[in-house]
Amino acid sequence: MQHAGSDSYRIGARDGVLRIERHGPEPWGKVVQAIPAAALVGRTLEFSAELRGELAPPGERFVTPSGLVAVVHGAPPGAPAILGETVLGQRLGEPELGEGRHGWKVQRLRLEVPEGASRIELGLILGHQGWIELRHPALRPLP
């Protein structure tokens, strides 16, 4: 998915490496996989992967970081069902990937799965000009 409008990202996978590359004007693009969250409510999770890339200045006023991302969706406890689901939390990976050329390095993020969570989107977001690659993604519960 991407911010809006015109096709601005190329996405592909080869030999176990996922790549997203920006070639148009939209300020961010991301690739995600959604997993059910019900069995993980109340747990702390760590999402990690090896990343590399070449990131140039974003070129816009609004800057979205590049790297791992996790978004938790669901309904807040006590909210009327008619209101549907919302974003209950979002986390970005650390250490932050800034401008420049980056060799393979591990980026991690931790997230708490709150009450009411229904799904978790885990993925890779690109908010700079350039490209970023991901390999060896892992998700594990922490004690």
Side-chain angles (χ1 to χ4, degrees):
M1 67 182 81
Q2 67 178 26
H3 173 256
S6 63
D7 179 20
S8 295
Y9 293 86
R10 283 193 270 298
I11 299 167
R14 183 174 175 195
D15 298 327
V17 175
L18 173 70
R19 180 183 177 107
I20 181 170
E21 182 174 359
R22 184 171 166 183
H23 64 85
E26 295 303 330
W28 60 263
K30 68 181 176 177
V31 178
V32 298
Q33 179 174 353
I35 62 170
L40 300 168
V41 168
R43 303 290 307 262
T44 300
L45 307 176
E46 180 182 77
F47 176 42
S48 64
E50 293 179 31
L51 303 179
R52 74 175 174 186
E54 190 168 327
L55 305 175
E60 294 85 25
R61 290 185 351 192
F62 304 103
V63 179
T64 300
S66 297
L68 297 181
V69 63
V71 181
V72 180
H73 297 267
I82 195 166
L83 295 179
E85 293 191 345
T86 187
V87 172
L88 299 177
Q90 180 170 316
R91 299 286 305 196
L92 297 170
E94 296 176 1
E96 185 177 326
L97 290 182
E99 296 172 20
R101 188 171 195 67
H102 302 278
W104 289 114
K105 70 173 156 178
V106 176
Q107 190 178 66
R108 296 177 179 5
L109 65 81
R110 289 185 180 194
L111 68 144
E112 306 275 334
V113 183
E115 192 69 36
S118 63
R119 77 180 189 283
I120 303 168
E121 292 178 348
L122 302 168
L124 179 64
I125 189 165
L126 178 60
H128 291 76
Q129 297 285 346
W131 58 271
I132 192 168
E133 293 179 330
L134 173 149
R135 69 179 181 188
H136 305 301
L139 178 67
R140 66 183 185 102
L142 297 177

